[in-house]
Amino acid sequence: MADVKALREIEQRVLWLATAIVHHANRVRPNPSGLKVGGHQASSASMVTIMTALWFAHLRAQDRVSVKPHASPVLHAVNYLLGELDERYLTTLRQFGGLQSYPSRSKDPDPVDYSTGSVGIGATAPIWGALARRYVSSVGGGSGGADARSAGASRWGRQYSLLGDAELDEGACWEAVLDPMVAELGEVVWIVDLNRQSLDRVVPIIGATRLQGMFEAAGWQVLTVKYGELLGELFARPGGAALRRRIDEMSNPEYQRLLRCDDAQLRERLPGDDAGLAELVAQLDDATLHAAIRNLGGHDLAALADAFDRIDDSRPTVIFAYTVKGYGLASEGHPQNHSSLLTNAQLADLAAKVGTDVEDPWARFAADSDAGLLCAEVAQRLRRDPVPAPPVVKLPEDIGRTPGGTATTQAALGRTLLDLTRSAPQAARRVVTLCPDVASSTNLGGWVNKVGVWSAREKVDWFSDDPETILHWRERPDGQHLELGIAETNLVGLLGELGATWSRWGEPLLPIGVLYDPFVERALEPWSFGIYAGGQSILVGTPSGVTLAPEGGAHQSISTPSVGLEQPGCVMYEPAFAIDVEWTLLASLARLGRPDGSSAYLRLSTRPVDQTLAAVPSDPAAREHRRRLVVAGAYPLVRAAGTPAVTIAAMGAVLPEALAAAARLTEAGHPVDVVCVTSPGLVFDAAQARGGNGDAESWVLDAVFPTRRAAPIVTVLDGHPHALAFLAGINQVPGRHLGVTRFGQSGDLDDVYRYHGLDADSIVRAALDLTG
């Protein structure tokens, strides 16, 4: 371990800087709005020793760390001492353009390995980062090999996650821990800040033993750092066993209360009725007794170093480090210290205690001091080479097929991926698909048979010679499909990390996650956070809507079109025909793995549709014009002769009903334009830009909704009608908006469409209401 004296100096300076960063934001910087700025001095303090020991004695350049959200000031303090953060930023916590509230890869000015802030997601991100790092090596022909369980830490570095014990309440943590694939990731290390407090209270029963057993059952190595050197020495004295038993057996609230006691109260309360323990306590001076009761392993550099040295790289490791929330601050151990702030007087006391100056809060160590030399040495050790610019992945815009017969948009996904392996094999090699155990039911079977299933080492396919096996599960290091258990949070967590490899290692991947559309909202929050963190990916929701009629209300999505429209950093498509799937998928893939890229969400269906209804132009120039419109968000499918009496704008699976209604209306003397909307979000952006709000291109409006053809509009989709209602505002025309606003029903498709008003009769009635 590095020089303990220098480490202790650094630890104290990190505590000061982290505390002062929050203090300045709340008590020094002008606050004209009067809104609470916030920050977490106590939550930072409990992590100071852990992060000092990790960064300044153990971390390597190839390692990556996800930092507990509320400890972001500690990360900034560490980066500042290592020369990775300019002093001017220390006064900008939670200020516009300054240090972010929680660590952010994309917004903070200093190095951040993982964006955190959403409970459970930052904690699990290093698991998916480890898998993504292993997978991306296979693009270049590498593999984990037979020793893959321990190879990760040596080849690519460890993946650390620093999390608070309350974060283990989040189910996403356990979904990740229990996935069978995770047990092979020896580079994953979780360090739990076991301070036994949550936001509102002292947790009555933290259940550390139960938590340890749960990790062990999942195949993890479990290390516990409970007591420091001073308590260890006291335990060895006469009465020491009683002292240990007393601390071990007392409840969390009682222990926390002892931290708030003065010396006399502590001497009275700690021994209880144990005469032997009382005798030991009587032998200790006040300073020793005060230090002993808070001498937990998470604040002992030597104890932490020993734990780090015992990490077994053949399996994931969790380290439970017992700490005190607010350690070293006036608020330490108080049950309501989560967002509490030191007063000016308390900050001055802290400055005197750690040897700093309130008037010069950002002072660095002298360059020739032991601490200064250690900071310089660590900065050099942790320096990373710049990430190379990602190569451009060349993708075709149009594979050239014109689907015929009857097909579903869900099946078109697998068909397009297979076509890509032939038309653009280099690009196809960067495609990786993920499913939560639904590859076969979402029509990815052909793709999986073609490219194989990724595994760090090759495994025997015991059903390879079974003639009745249709889906072949060939697991090998060059496979391109990843299968997780039934946990959508895991799926999108990995999806986000696979979508970030272009910025982490200069190797772009084209990740596509496929899940049932009703569960998109279950996965939305972690997927949205992955996009925020820079992960670019494609999420495919299929099957979708009440079109999945026999499944009933439990499996019929309603609001996902609106979700896709409103998700930042994402383009949503709901194709109606197989050719639309091909074009939108290729366009979405082309946006991935680049600094100006974005994610995509495709909402697909299992409804068989006559592909001739797409009326794909045969002329090459006209076909390309159609493709550009499909990708831009909408295209005219039927144009009435002369001025239309009404426009029907439909999206996705209900296009056959829209076309049938248009034919009936035209026959009745009401000429109709039919517009197929493929991306309401892109059309909305175009409408906003036309009004001077945003910089999107608006040409699609002139091509699809020209003013000269303005007419009352009926919108219809298998989803909430809100998603297309804005179309009436493009040309300021009357509108009727059909969609799904109730929970679904089981039944035949015609019955279900009629129930929700998506059938041709309903569309005709809505149009006649508008035309008079």
Side-chain angles (χ1 to χ4, degrees):
M1 190 173 75
D3 178 69
V4 175
K5 181 176 180 295
L7 276 177
R8 185 62 70 183
E9 284 187 65
I10 291 171
E11 174 199 32
Q12 294 297 292
R13 187 63 56 88
V14 169
L15 174 64
W16 165 258
L17 288 170
T19 306
I21 286 170
V22 179
H23 180 86
H24 188 281
N26 287 273
R27 300 200 186 278
V28 179
R29 191 171 70 218
N31 183 6
S33 70
L35 293 174
K36 174 186 174 183
V37 177
H40 301 86
Q41 292 174 331
S43 293
S44 292
S46 64
M47 286 296 303
V48 165
T49 312
I50 293 171
M51 293 177 67
T52 300
L54 183 60
W55 257 264
F56 291 89
H58 293 273
L59 210 61
R60 301 166 299 172
Q62 65 267 39
D63 298 334
R64 296 293 184 271
V65 187
S66 174
V67 176
K68 185 179 82 168
H70 291 160
S72 64
V74 184
L75 177 61
H76 298 311
V78 169
N79 282 336
Y80 175 65
L81 292 179
L82 295 178
E84 296 283 2
L85 181 66
D86 191 274
E87 180 180 321
R88 65 189 173 94
Y89 284 107
L90 299 180
T91 59
T92 67
L93 179 70
R94 300 187 174 209
Q95 178 178 293
F96 185 81
L99 299 176
Q100 298 301 296
S101 306
Y102 310 118
S104 171
R105 287 189 70 228
S106 58
K107 294 184 178 181
D108 270 317
D110 52 334
V112 174
D113 291 333
Y114 289 98
S115 295
T116 60
S118 190
V119 175
I121 296 174
T124 58
I127 288 177
W128 315 126
L131 267 175
R133 186 68 185 95
R134 289 185 178 219
Y135 181 86
V136 79
S137 70
S138 67
V139 174
S143 67
D147 60 343
R149 290 174 67 91
S150 58
S154 58
R155 291 183 61 186
W156 307 305
R158 285 178 179 157
Q159 296 275 350
Y160 291 94
S161 181
L162 311 181
L163 63 155
D165 49 14
E167 197 161 5
L168 291 176
D169 291 345
E170 172 55 53
C173 292
W174 298 107
E175 288 182 349
V177 167
L178 294 174
D179 193 277
M181 192 178 293
V182 173
E184 298 189 356
L185 301 177
E187 61 267 45
V188 170
V189 179
W190 283 15
I191 304 173
V192 180
D193 171 15
L194 200 71
N195 60 47
R196 294 172 282 183
Q197 285 187 239
S198 61
L199 189 151
D200 291 327
R201 60 176 181 157
V202 176
V203 179
I205 302 174
I206 196 65
T209 302
R210 176 173 54 87
L211 293 173
Q212 291 161 352
M214 292 166 70
F215 277 99
E216 287 175 343
W220 289 49
Q221 178 192 24
V222 178
L223 302 174
T224 301
V225 188
K226 189 169 185 178
Y227 297 120
E229 185 178 5
L230 174 57
L231 275 176
E233 190 272 327
L234 293 179
F235 292 157
R237 295 187 187 182
L243 174 61
R244 180 164 194 158
R245 185 170 55 253
R246 171 80 170 109
I247 297 176
D248 281 343
E249 293 178 355
M250 70 173 58
S251 69
N252 295 332
E254 182 183 6
Y255 173 78
Q256 298 287 111
R257 183 63 185 88
L258 292 180
L259 298 172
R260 309 294 302 169
C261 289
D262 60 29
D263 296 331
Q265 291 173 325
L266 184 57
R267 290 184 181 279
E268 177 185 351
R269 294 188 181 204
L270 178 58
D273 298 327
D274 192 307
L277 178 53
E279 184 176 347
L280 173 60
V281 168
Q283 297 171 5
L284 305 178
D285 59 57
D286 289 342
T288 301
L289 183 60
H290 181 274
I293 199 62
R294 38 188 52 76
N295 181 225
L296 300 181
H299 302 302
D300 190 287
L301 292 166
L304 289 167
D306 177 66
F308 294 155
D309 288 341
R310 288 189 287 136
I311 293 173
D312 174 8
D313 288 327
S314 70
R315 53 181 172 153
T317 295
V318 59
I319 299 173
F320 287 96
Y322 279 74
T323 62
V324 172
K325 193 166 184 175
Y327 182 74
L329 305 181
S331 61
E332 66 179 1
H334 193 282
Q336 279 85 52
N337 66 6
H338 184 78
S339 297
S340 66
L341 299 169
L342 298 189
T343 65
N344 290 330
Q346 289 170 337
L347 188 77
D349 289 343
L350 178 65
K353 174 182 170 183
V354 302
T356 57
D357 185 351
V358 172
E359 300 303 319
D360 185 19
W362 317 124
R364 297 179 186 271
F365 293 112
D368 59 351
S369 67
D370 289 344
L373 291 171
L374 180 55
C375 286
E377 175 192 325
V378 172
Q380 181 61 35
R381 167 165 54 85
L382 297 182
R383 187 156 292 123
R384 298 170 182 169
D385 294 330
V387 176
V392 176
V393 181
K394 296 181 179 180
L395 286 149
E397 294 179 330
D398 185 351
I399 292 174
R401 294 177 65 252
T402 302
T406 300
T408 71
T409 54
Q410 176 178 286
L413 171 69
R415 177 76 264 171
T416 301
L417 291 176
L418 287 172
D419 286 344
L420 192 63
T421 63
R422 291 184 284 270
S423 62
Q426 293 303 313
R429 185 68 190 95
R430 292 187 178 270
V431 172
V432 52
T433 56
L434 294 79
C435 278
D437 198 36
V438 293
S440 56
S441 59
T442 55
N443 283 108
L444 283 181
W447 163 259
V448 173
N449 286 343
K450 173 75 173 178
V451 301
V453 178
W454 183 84
S455 175
R457 58 185 183 276
E458 190 156 0
K459 299 179 181 178
V460 176
D461 178 10
W462 293 105
F463 288 87
S464 61
D465 58 348
D466 185 343
E468 296 184 8
T469 298
I470 299 175
L471 179 61
H472 296 286
W473 212 251
R474 301 186 181 97
E475 298 179 82
R476 55 182 192 258
D478 63 345
Q480 291 180 244
H481 177 76
L482 280 160
E483 190 88 1
L484 300 177
I486 304 175
E488 286 77 13
T489 298
N490 288 351
L491 174 86
V492 296
L494 178 54
L495 193 64
E497 287 306 316
L498 289 166
T501 58
W502 67 274
S503 59
R504 289 198 191 280
W505 300 292
E507 286 287 353
L509 295 176
L510 308 177
I512 303 173
V514 183
L515 73 166
Y516 292 161
D517 195 67
F519 306 139
V520 163
E521 289 172 298
R522 182 185 298 176
L524 179 63
E525 194 259 343
W527 188 53
S528 176
F529 199 83
I531 295 174
Y532 168 81
Q536 298 169 8
S537 60
I538 297 174
L539 188 65
V540 177
T542 183
S544 62
V546 299
T547 300
L548 189 61
E551 294 288 341
H555 280 170
Q556 294 175 354
S557 53
I558 296 172
S559 59
T560 47
S562 301
V563 166
L565 187 158
E566 296 164 9
Q567 172 60 46
C570 170
V571 176
M572 178 266 189
Y573 287 112
E574 185 164 349
F577 302 104
I579 191 66
D580 298 351
V581 174
E582 177 189 308
W583 289 339
T584 56
L585 179 62
L586 292 175
S588 298
L589 289 170
R591 296 188 185 103
L592 302 180
R594 42 193 286 181
D596 60 343
S598 64
S599 296
Y601 160 50
L602 272 63
R603 189 174 189 251
L604 305 183
S605 173
T606 51
R607 183 185 186 183
V609 172
D610 178 3
Q611 296 302 302
T612 64
L613 295 177
V616 181
S618 57
D619 179 79
R623 179 186 175 101
E624 171 58 14
H625 180 65
R626 166 71 71 85
R627 186 200 66 79
R628 290 180 66 239
L629 288 171
V630 168
V631 171
Y635 61 93
L637 191 55
V638 173
R639 283 300 196 205
T643 303
V646 67
T647 297
I648 299 175
M651 184 167 72
V654 296
L655 255 296
E657 279 64 36
L659 290 169
R664 289 167 52 183
L665 287 164
T666 300
E667 186 177 352
H670 304 280
V672 177
D673 277 359
V674 177
V675 171
C676 180
V677 178
T678 55
S679 176
L682 290 178
V683 177
F684 181 79
D685 289 345
Q688 289 285 88
R690 176 184 278 182
N693 188 2
D695 55 3
E697 295 183 354
S698 60
W699 64 269
V700 68
L701 302 181
D702 299 323
V704 182
F705 299 102
T707 304
R708 68 182 184 278
R709 301 191 68 82
I713 189 169
V714 176
T715 64
V716 57
L717 74 155
D718 184 359
H720 198 283
H722 149 269
L724 295 182
F726 73 93
L727 294 177
I730 293 176
N731 287 318
Q732 300 298 310
V733 297
R736 293 289 186 272
H737 308 294
L738 307 181
V740 181
T741 57
R742 294 173 287 177
F743 287 113
Q745 298 286 338
S746 295
D748 180 80
L749 186 60
D750 289 342
D751 292 335
V752 171
Y753 273 11
R754 190 176 303 110
Y755 172 76
H756 289 287
L758 303 178
D759 59 318
D761 286 349
S762 298
I763 298 172
V764 169
R765 284 194 295 269
L768 293 175
D769 286 344
L770 289 172
T771 60

